[in-house]
């Protein structure tokens, strides 16, 4: 019996860290002015690429600024916080965020069948298991745009009680007003789809992003350094040609027209 | 019985601990005090943004780096003698990009490079390279133009020193988010500062310095075929027209093709390799003591590793090989270089 007890205690000690998960989010892209609180108690500081955020972290973006977070190592669960936004990470796995102002774009592909990823605003909750959508909140109205699969939306009153629940299909958007009042379902506009495509392209680039700042800068720098290398090679060839000229003079001098003529 | 009771209590404790870590996921009512604290935090953050970050969205980008290389070159003179020598090289690089409205950028790059051979000192040189120009991004492509200046100075062999000035124009297009291609035309003049232009005979010289007019057309395509693998191809056609008169010694047309690859082996380690072939056809230059034209086929390649020790430092180790397969025995050479280097980003 003692052996079983010891085995059980050891098993719990080994498994307990598993239940803790890797409760952290990584910043994988920063553009413009982004401030973060790494956890509930840290002060505000400037966001940096590869910075790790914990539970209760907050992120604020300024004008013409955005920040992209990865909720998993494989970068399959991605969130981009758009300009003039403020979010709080209430839980990491599964993802649970509170959006008090602004907009976020989410692309979620790596959740288990029982997990959900959701974004809460003061008037609604939008979430899904594996899909792509955008959530916004401004002046008491929440907006949800579904670009892939289906998003569930729960309207909430001031007390946080659910007033209505609907599923929004891809290709449509909806607004939710005060008291969780769900508005009309509208088709996504061309601009909204274009913005979503930009977001997806950003994600694809970030999967190959380096610390130098992205593929563009990597290519640009590589090109310039190749230009330097070409110039150096050209210099060496000229040096060789000059040496060749001297050696050829020695070889051809007895046969050169100037010598023969004299 | 008692043990079973203890185990059950431990299991319940564990289960409760796990359940408490799962947030309810639905609306969480907050008290007034929590709301006030939240608002204060937001205000504090906004105040901090205004106070501490008066700077606007970045309007420029500046990279600078310094690097030190050392290695062994088996044929420093690129001649049939094949004399090897140890070398050291120092490189400082500056890349500045200014972002203007309406997708107009202005780019300036500067490289300062010193290459020193320990024994074959006439091969040692100092290189200053400037490149400057604007570019504008349109819906379908980016257009750019500029001026490129290279000053190569051989302290112990000034006949080989030159100033290369080029104007360039390019059009660049993103085929996809991972692939771009670029067509560039450049034209310029290479003026040798001390080397005299050849006269009508192999051992005669004109009163003026040698000057070469250069025209080049280059097509390049780079692609991230996988997130970790970047492949590139560069094709270049060149024309060189010199004022050297003897058999138009330095006049040639050339075709060059370079294939390259960068592969990320790990988070901080990458492998790079490239292969170059250059075909040089001289307009009138004949093979030494022969009456048929000289043709050169240059083959070259690099292979190496780059390792990032931290965010700002990088080590590199690479091997370079060049071979000129010419129909003129005097022009043939092979060269192998092993180089190790350290680069620091500011």
């Amino acid at each position: 019996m003692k052996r079983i007890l010891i085995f059980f205690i050891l098993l719990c000690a080994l498994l307990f860290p598993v239940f803790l998960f890797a409760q952290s989010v990584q910043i994988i892209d920063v553009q413009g002015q982004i401030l973060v609180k790494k956890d509930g108690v840290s002060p505000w500081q400037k966001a940096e690429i590869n910075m790790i955020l914990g539970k209760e972290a907050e992120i604020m973006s300024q004008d013409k600024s955005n920040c992209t977070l990865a909720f998993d190592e494989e970068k399959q669960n991605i969130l981009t916080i758009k300009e003039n936004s403020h979010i709080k990470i209430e839980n990491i796995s599964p993802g649970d965020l509170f959006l008090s102002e602004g907009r976020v774009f989410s692309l979620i592909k790596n959740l288990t069948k029982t997990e959900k990823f959701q974004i809460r605003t003061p008037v609604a909750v939008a979430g899904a298991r594996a899909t792509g959508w955008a959530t916004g909140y401004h002046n008491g109205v929440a907006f949800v745009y579904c670009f892939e699969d289906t998003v569930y939306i729960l309207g909430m009153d001031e007390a946080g009680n659910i007033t209505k629940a609907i599923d929004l299909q891809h290709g449509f958007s909806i607004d939710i007003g005060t008291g969780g009042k769900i508005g009309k379902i509208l088709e996504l506009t061309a601009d909204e789809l274009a913005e979503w495509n930009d977001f997806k392209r950003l994600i694809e680039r970030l999967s190959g992003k380096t610390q130098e700042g992205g593929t563009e800068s990597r290519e640009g720098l590589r090109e310039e350094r190749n230009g330097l290398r070409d110039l150096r090679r050209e210099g060496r060839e000229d040096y060789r040609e000059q040496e060749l000229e001297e050696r050829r003079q020695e070889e051809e001098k007895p046969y050169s027209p100037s010598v023969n003529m004299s | 019985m008692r043990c079973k009771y203890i185990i059950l209590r431990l299991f319940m404790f564990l289960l409760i601990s796990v359940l408490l870590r799962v947030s309810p996921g639905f609306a969480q009512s907050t008290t007034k005090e929590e709301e006030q604290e939240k608002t204060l935090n937001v205000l504090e953050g906004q105040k901090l943004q205004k106070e501490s970050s008066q700077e606007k969205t970045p309007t420029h980008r500046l990279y600078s780096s310094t690097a030190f290389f050392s290695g062994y070159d088996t044929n420093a003179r690129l001649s049939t003698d094949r004399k090897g020598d140890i070398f050291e090289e120092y490189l400082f690089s500056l890349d500045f990009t200014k972002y203007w409205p309406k997708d107009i950028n202005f780019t300036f790059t500067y490289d300062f490079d010193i290459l020193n051979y320990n024994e074959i000192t006439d091969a040692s040189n100092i290189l200053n390279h400037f490149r400057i120009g604007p570019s504008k991004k349109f819906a379908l492509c980016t257009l750019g133009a500029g001026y490129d200046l290279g000053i190569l100075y051989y302290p112990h062999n000034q006949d080989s020193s030159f100033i290369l000035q080029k104007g360039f124009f390019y059009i660049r297009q993103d085929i996809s988010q991972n692939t771009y291609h670029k067509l560039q035309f450049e034209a310029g003049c290479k003026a040798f500062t001390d080397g005299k232009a050849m006269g009508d005979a192999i051992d005669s010289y004109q009163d003026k310095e040698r000057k070469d007019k250069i025209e080049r057309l280059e097509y390049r395509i780079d692609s991230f075929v996988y997130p970790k693998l970047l492949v590139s191809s560069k094709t270049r056609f060149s024309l060189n027209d010199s004022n050297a008169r003897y058999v138009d010694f330095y006049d040639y047309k050339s075709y060059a093709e370079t294939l390259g690859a960068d592969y990320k082996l790990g988070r901080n380690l990458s492998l790079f390799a490239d292969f170059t072939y250059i075909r040089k056809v001289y307009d009138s230059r004949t093979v030494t003591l022969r009456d048929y034209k000289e043709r050169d086929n240059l083959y070259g390649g690099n292979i190496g590793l780059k390792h990032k020790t931290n965010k700002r430092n990088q080590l590199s180790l690479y091997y370079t090989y060049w071979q000129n397969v010419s129909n003129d025995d005097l022009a043939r050479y092979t060269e192998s270089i092993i180089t190790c280097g350290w680069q620091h980003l500011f």
Side-chain angles (χ1 to χ4, degrees), chain A residues 130-197:
Chain A
T131 192
W133 81 100
T135 312
Y137 178 75
H138 184 63
N139 284 342
V141 181
F143 305 87
V144 180
Y145 312 81
C146 182
F147 298 97
E148 294 178 9
D149 299 308
T150 307
V151 176
Y152 69 81
I153 298 166
L154 307 167
M156 297 188 305
D157 61 18
E158 285 80 8
N161 302 314
I162 299 167
T163 55
K164 196 168 182 181
I166 67 159
D167 284 344
L168 185 67
Q169 302 295 324
H170 69 271
F172 296 94
S173 67
I174 197 167
D175 62 83
I176 303 98
T178 310
K181 188 180 174 185
I182 291 186
K184 281 186 184 174
I185 296 176
L186 302 168
E187 273 193 48
L188 292 172
T189 64
D191 286 343
E192 287 159 358
L193 288 168
E195 199 175 359
W196 174 253
N197 286 332

Side-chain angles (χ1 to χ4, degrees), chain B residues 8-184:
Chain B
L8 186 64
R9 283 188 74 178
L10 277 172
F11 178 72
M12 290 303 295
F13 170 73
L14 194 61
L15 187 65
I16 290 165
S17 301
V18 170
L19 287 173
L20 280 175
R21 290 197 171 274
V22 177
S23 71
F26 286 95
Q28 296 168 357
S29 59
T30 55
T31 63
K32 250 190 180 176
E33 284 165 355
E34 285 173 7
E35 283 286 351
Q36 278 175 358
E37 195 189 328
K38 202 191 295 185
T39 310
L40 279 171
N41 281 343
V42 168
L43 288 173
E44 183 195 319
Q46 286 172 350
K47 189 182 166 192
L48 195 71
Q49 281 192 31
K50 281 180 189 170
E51 281 175 1
S52 66
S53 55
Q54 291 298 324
E55 51 193 282
K56 299 169 188 174
T57 306
T59 58
H60 65 272
R61 183 191 74 187
L62 178 66
Y63 291 122
S64 61
S65 67
T66 189
F68 179 77
F69 303 94
S70 183
Y72 182 76
D73 185 346
T74 61
N75 190 354
R77 288 206 169 100
L78 299 179
S79 67
T80 49
D81 301 342
R82 289 185 58 81
K83 283 185 183 168
D85 197 4
I86 295 171
F87 68 88
E88 298 83 31
E89 185 177 358
Y90 170 75
L91 172 65
F92 171 76
S93 298
L94 187 77
D95 296 85
F96 173 77
T97 303
K98 173 79 178 170
Y99 303 111
W100 281 326
K102 298 184 182 177
D103 289 326
I104 298 175
N105 294 342
F106 174 82
T107 305
F108 169 74
T109 62
Y110 170 65
D111 301 291
F112 175 71
D113 186 282
I114 300 176
L115 176 62
N116 177 67
Y117 283 90
N118 290 356
E119 290 177 10
I120 305 173
T121 54
D122 57 339
S124 302
N125 57 74
I126 300 169
L127 174 63
N128 280 279
H129 176 231
F130 304 84
R131 192 173 175 92
I132 193 168
S135 64
K136 175 157 170 67
K137 193 173 178 182
F138 295 92
L140 293 176
C141 65
T142 300
L143 296 180
Y147 171 73
D148 189 298
L149 172 66
I151 303 170
L152 187 61
Y153 173 63
Y154 286 84
H156 304 287
N157 181 22
Q158 294 183 23
D159 285 350
S160 298
S161 302
F162 64 75
I163 298 173
L164 173 57
Q165 301 184 72
K166 294 182 290 190
F168 62 88
F169 169 80
Y170 68 84
I171 177 168
R172 177 198 154 120
Q173 187 184 44
D174 290 330
I175 299 171
S176 71
Q177 208 53 34
N178 297 322
T179 306
Y180 81 94
H181 61 166
K182 180 179 172 183
L183 184 66
Q184 177 170 289

Side-chain angles (χ1 to χ4, degrees), chain A:
Chain A
M1 201 61 217
K2 275 187 186 175
R3 283 183 193 174
I4 295 172
L5 179 64
I6 292 166
F7 171 75
F8 186 76
I9 291 170
L10 284 173
L11 184 67
C12 289
L14 283 170
L15 288 179
F16 198 71
V18 172
F19 297 119
L20 292 178
F21 302 114
Q23 292 277 341
S24 61
V25 173
Q26 187 181 27
I27 297 177
I28 59 173
D29 186 42
V30 173
Q31 291 178 32
Q33 288 294 329
I34 305 288
L35 289 178
V36 299
K37 265 190 179 183
K38 288 171 100 173
D39 51 42
V41 295
S42 301
W44 287 101
Q45 57 184 281
K46 241 182 168 179
E48 288 177 2
I49 292 177
N50 294 329
M51 190 181 265
I52 303 294
L53 307 176
K55 200 174 163 182
E56 306 295 323
E58 291 182 51
I59 301 138
M60 242 192 312
S61 60
Q62 247 190 341
D63 199 30
K64 292 182 186 175
S65 304
N66 54 68
C67 175
T68 302
L69 312 177
F71 282 73
D72 62 334
E73 271 207 45
E74 295 83 14
K75 297 190 177 73
Q76 298 280 302
N77 299 333
I78 302 288
L79 184 96
T80 291
I81 303 151
K82 294 292 193 175
E83 60 179 359
N84 299 317
S85 301
H86 184 186
I87 71 149
K88 183 177 181 180
I89 301 173
E90 293 183 331
N91 201 42
I92 293 166
S93 185
D96 193 354
L97 284 72
F98 179 68
L99 175 69
S100 56
E101 178 65 37
R103 292 186 309 153
V104 294
F105 277 63
S106 327
L107 186 63
I108 306 301
K109 289 182 180 176
N110 188 19
L111 292 180
T112 64
K113 283 184 181 174
T114 53
E115 284 177 324
K116 293 175 191 175
F117 189 99
Q118 55 188 33
I119 296 160
R120 192 167 60 82
T121 70
V123 298
V125 176
R129 286 198 188 86
T131 192
W133 81 100
T135 312
Y137 178 75
H138 184 63
N139 284 342
V141 181
F143 305 87
V144 180
Y145 312 81
C146 182
F147 298 97
E148 294 178 9
D149 299 308
T150 307
V151 176
Y152 69 81
I153 298 166
L154 307 167
M156 297 188 305
D157 61 18
E158 285 80 8
N161 302 314
I162 299 167
T163 55
K164 196 168 182 181
I166 67 159
D167 284 344
L168 185 67
Q169 302 295 324
H170 69 271
F172 296 94
S173 67
I174 197 167
D175 62 83
I176 303 98
T178 310
K181 188 180 174 185
I182 291 186
K184 281 186 184 174
I185 296 176
L186 302 168
E187 273 193 48
L188 292 172
T189 64
D191 286 343
E192 287 159 358
L193 288 168
E195 199 175 359
W196 174 253
N197 286 332
D198 287 342
F199 166 66
K200 291 216 42 194
R201 279 197 288 269
L202 171 67
I203 302 306
E204 285 167 19
R205 276 168 54 184
L206 289 174
S207 61
K209 198 173 171 89
T210 65
Q211 281 184 342
E212 285 100 32
T215 60
E216 271 186 24
S217 62
R218 191 170 159 182
E219 287 156 12
L221 289 176
R222 194 168 179 278
E223 267 191 66
E224 292 304 321
R225 297 288 88 79
N226 278 341
L228 174 69
R229 220 173 68 185
D230 288 342
L231 181 59
R232 176 158 288 301
R233 192 72 217 164
E234 188 168 345
R236 292 214 70 208
E237 279 294 305
D238 285 327
Y239 169 77
R240 178 187 74 84
E241 292 270 13
Q242 198 241 335
E243 296 275 306
L244 177 69
E245 189 184 308
E246 290 169 7
R247 286 206 309 278
R248 189 156 168 161
Q249 280 175 357
E250 290 169 13
E251 292 285 323
E252 290 190 359
K253 205 167 178 182
Y255 305 94
S256 67
S258 59
V259 174
N260 286 339
M261 281 167 68
S262 64

